[in-house]
Amino acid sequence: MDFFVGNNTFDRGMHVRRSVLGDAHVDKANSKINDFNADFQSFITNYAWGEIWTRPGLSKHNKSLITLAMLIALNRPAEFKMHVKAAFNNGVSADEIKEVIMQSALYCGLPAANDAFHLALEVFSPLTPDGGI
């Protein structure tokens, strides 16, 4: 179980971060650590991934769905695309992502949902044989 891997919050966070986002993404982010952003990267690993994503109250699958909805509402396209890909790692299907976007159309607005559909299709294309359709 991911919740007890490693000896400290950072180790647990790095484990979950890698399992959700993939080694390539995390390695790329880590390769860009410098004196200016090192504290922020540590913060992300410790708190976002080591404290919140390791909480046992929701599955990673559900956390992915919730995260997608919030990123649509906040209009964060780069993070949304990253988390669409991560959602696949957490067992979320293209149909479930479609339903999150449909729900967001009602509560976040049609332009937000329209953008989310376009962004999701950009991510689906290389990941699924049928482009997620």
Side-chain angles (χ1 to χ4, degrees):
M1 187 175 225
D2 288 329
F3 306 114
F4 302 106
V5 174
N7 296 327
N8 59 46
T9 304
F10 186 88
D11 291 341
R12 289 189 305 273
M14 188 57 72
H15 174 78
V16 174
R17 189 176 184 185
R18 287 183 177 282
S19 73
V20 172
L21 299 177
D23 287 331
H25 177 87
V26 175
D27 289 344
K28 183 178 177 183
N30 285 343
S31 74
K32 295 178 181 180
I33 293 175
N34 56 45
D35 289 342
F36 184 71
N37 67 14
D39 291 339
F40 183 69
Q41 288 296 319
S42 178
F43 175 81
I44 291 169
T45 300
N46 275 300
Y47 296 102
W49 298 105
E51 291 285 343
I52 301 304
W53 275 83
T54 58
R55 291 178 58 83
L58 294 169
S59 67
K60 284 195 261 183
H61 183 277
N62 286 338
K63 289 175 186 178
S64 281
L65 295 173
I66 293 164
T67 300
L68 291 174
M70 289 187 287
L71 292 170
I72 292 167
L74 293 171
N75 189 25
R76 299 295 189 260
E79 288 282 319
F80 178 78
K81 287 173 65 174
M82 179 183 71
H83 278 280
V84 167
K85 186 174 180 183
F88 282 118
N89 293 339
N90 288 334
V92 176
S93 71
D95 285 338
E96 290 172 305
I97 293 170
K98 176 178 75 174
E99 292 305 319
V100 167
I101 298 170
M102 291 296 294
Q103 189 77 8
S104 75
L106 184 61
Y107 291 96
C108 302
L110 296 175
N114 189 44
D115 285 347
F117 271 113
H118 291 292
L119 293 167
L121 284 172
E122 287 178 28
V123 176
F124 292 168
S125 293
L127 296 178
T128 60
D130 61 0
I133 299 171

